[in-house]
Structure formats: structure tokens, C-alpha cells
């Protein structure tokens, strides 16, 4: 498996055990399970694991890493769309009577508590389903398999495919998995950038984009003033 810089950072938060996995990158194979056979490997980067996480992890930990990467990537993709949607429709959407306004980082506190209760219950149900699908049943499995990931479990497979997009062909399916991983990695970078930008100038992403495309007045226009403003907007201080 080739792991992007985003995935390497993700590994730092996936498990406390990961902090012991520093070392020189190398091919890691456990029995017939090979990290480099997993989806997400693209040229020209090659097998990317500079901190040696995969090299020192067993099969179970690799599965845990991949599940965490997929989950964080999916959440980031939803969050990235949420930044744009929440800020673009503020004041005109019937949701929450249109009272949720401002930059996305400020909208969370404006959402009624009832929504968060429903959200928490739904998230708990999804995570319970995930655990039931990916972990051996502790009641029926041998002691040595308790808490271990099922060998036949496909990372990220929650059994949810209402549009029937999952290909039957193994190679086509692997390509789809790689595309999801790449989009998730990009979304994690994008969501992090959105958060940093809104924390820096307290403006929403949509507001920042619209402001950047507004044509300045030609009266007393000085290109150096525009450049100085752009640099100051990027500064976190």
C-alpha cells in the first residue's frame, strides 16, 4: 500500500500503538497478506511509508490503519461539501428556520441541541454496525481472535450501496477503492485548509472565494496594494 503524507499523519491519530512504529520504510508482509497488494497505490510515488508504520505492523493493525483512513477520508469529503453548502445557503434554507449563518466554524454552535442528539444516535448505530461487520464475534470466536479484524472483511464495507456502484470485476473494484482513497486524502487536506483559513480571518470559505474574485475599482488602483492585501489575508497572525 502506498500511503500519502496525509495518510501518514492520519496513522499518528489512528492508534496509540502507532507511536512505536517509527523506522525505515520497507515492504511488510504477514503470512500471505501483503501491504503492497492493497488499493491506494499509484505511480510515481511508489510505496510511501517514511515513518515505517506498515513495516512494523501486523495484518490486524494494517487493517485498522486502512479502516481509519477510509473513515476519516469519507468524513472529510462530507465536511468539505458541508463547508460550501452550509455557507452558500445560509439565510435562504428552511433548515433550522434559516437562522444558522456565518462561517462554517461558527455554525456548529448555532445548530439546535436536538439535531446533535439525533446525529449522535445515528453515528452510534453506524459504528455499531461497523464493529459487528469487521470484528470477530467475541462470543463465538476463539480467544486468540477476540478484538481482531475479520480476514474476509473489506475495509470500509458497511453493506451500503443503494446505487449498485460496486463493480463485480475485482480489478475494477480495486480501481474504485483507489479513487475513493485518493479523493478522501485530498478531502482531508482540503478540510484542514478550510479550517485554517476560517480560523485565520474569521471569514467563511465562500466569502473568501467571492472576495478574491471581486474586481477592484480602477480608481487609484495600485497592484502592490492588492498583493500586500493578499499576503496579509494568508497570514495566520
Amino acid at each position: 500500500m502506498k500511503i500519502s503524507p496525509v495518510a501518514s499523519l492520519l496513522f499518528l491519530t489512528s492508534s496509540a500503538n502507532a507511536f512505536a512504529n517509527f523506522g525505515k520504510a520497507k515492504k511488510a508482509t504477514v503470512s500471505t497478506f501483503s501491504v503492497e497488494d492493497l488499493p491506494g497505490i499509484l505511480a510515481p510515488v511508489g510505496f510511501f511509508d517514511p515513518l515505517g508504520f506498515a513495516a512494523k505492523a501486523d495484518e490486524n493493525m494494517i487493517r485498522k490503519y486502512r479502516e481509519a483512513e477510509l473513515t476519516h477520508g469519507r468524513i472529510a469529503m462530507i465536511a468539505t461539501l458541508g463547508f460550501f453548502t452550509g455557507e452558500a445557503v445560509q439565510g435562504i434554507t428552511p433548515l433550522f428556520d434559516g437562522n444558522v449563518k456565518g462561517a462554517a466554524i461558527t455554525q456548529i454552535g448555532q445548530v439546535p441541541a436536538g439535531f446533535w442528539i439525533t446525529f449522535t444516535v445515528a453515528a452510534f448505530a453506524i459504528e455499531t454496525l461497523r464493529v459487528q461487520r469487521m470484528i470477530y464475534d467475541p462470543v463465538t470466536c476463539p480467544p486468540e481472535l477476540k478484538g481482531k479484524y475479520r480476514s474476509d472483511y473489506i475495509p470500509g464495507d458497511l453493506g451500503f450501496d443503494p446505487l449498485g456502484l460496486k463493480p463485480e470485476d475485482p480489478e475494477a473494484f480495486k480501481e474504485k477503492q483507489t479513487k475513493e482513497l485518493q479523493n478522501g486524502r485530498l478531502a482531508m487536506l482540503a478540510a484542514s485548509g478550510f479550517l485554517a483559513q476560517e480560523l485565520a480571518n474569521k471569514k467563511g470559505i465562500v466569502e473568501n472565494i467571492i472576495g478574491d474574485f471581486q474586481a477592484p475599482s480602477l480608481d487609484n488602483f495600485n497592484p502592490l496594494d492588492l498583493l500586500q492585501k493578499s499576503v496579509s489575508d494568508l497570514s495566520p497572525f
Side-chain angles (χ1 to χ4, degrees):
M1 177 179 65
K2 295 179 182 177
I3 304 173
S4 68
V6 176
S8 294
L9 291 176
L10 172 61
F11 288 168
L12 291 173
T13 59
S14 297
S15 169
N17 294 332
F19 287 99
N21 291 336
F22 290 93
K24 185 177 180 180
K26 63 180 181 179
K27 182 176 179 179
T29 303
V30 180
S31 70
T32 58
F33 178 87
S34 177
V35 175
E36 296 185 16
D37 289 337
L38 294 175
I41 302 175
L42 290 174
V45 177
F47 181 71
F48 187 81
D49 186 20
L51 299 182
F53 289 109
K56 295 185 178 180
D58 59 14
E59 177 179 343
N60 191 68
M61 185 58 67
I62 291 295
R63 292 181 183 278
K64 185 173 185 178
Y65 287 158
R66 175 45 57 88
E67 189 72 22
E69 182 180 18
L70 274 168
T71 302
H72 284 78
R74 289 169 176 176
I75 292 174
M77 285 188 279
I78 295 174
T80 303
L81 292 176
F83 270 96
F84 288 114
T85 304
E87 294 177 8
V89 303
Q90 58 179 303
I92 60 175
T93 175
L95 290 175
F96 311 120
D97 297 324
N99 294 325
V100 178
K101 301 178 181 179
I105 58 174
T106 67
Q107 292 183 4
I108 296 176
Q110 301 176 49
V111 176
F115 170 82
W116 294 117
I117 295 174
T118 304
F119 176 84
T120 301
V121 171
F124 181 81
I126 293 173
E127 291 306 302
T128 300
L129 173 64
R130 181 200 304 279
V131 171
Q132 290 175 338
R133 291 178 66 91
M134 71 183 181
I135 302 294
Y136 283 104
D137 188 342
V139 177
T140 59
C141 74
E144 63 271 16
L145 292 180
K146 287 186 177 181
K148 298 292 184 66
Y149 282 65
R150 299 175 61 92
S151 59
D152 59 347
Y153 172 72
I154 300 174
D157 183 10
L158 301 180
F160 182 78
D161 185 21
L163 299 181
L165 299 178
K166 180 180 177 181
E168 296 294 335
D169 179 65
E171 287 301 317
F173 180 50
K174 187 175 182 179
E175 182 179 350
K176 284 276 189 181
Q177 289 176 297
T178 297
K179 289 179 179 179
E180 181 182 20
L181 283 164
Q182 291 297 94
N183 281 281
R185 292 164 180 170
L186 178 61
M188 286 188 277
L189 275 175
S192 299
F194 290 175
L195 284 169
Q197 179 64 60
E198 293 196 356
L199 287 171
N201 62 7
K202 311 303 179 185
K203 295 181 181 179
I205 293 300
V206 174
E207 184 180 359
N208 275 293
I209 294 175
I210 293 176
D212 288 342
F213 282 97
Q214 285 179 341
S217 172
L218 295 180
D219 296 333
N220 302 319
F221 174 67
N222 186 341
L224 293 178
D225 292 339
L226 182 61
L227 176 62
Q228 183 179 8
K229 180 181 182 302
S230 298
V231 172
S232 64
D233 284 346
L234 291 174
S235 174
F237 307 104

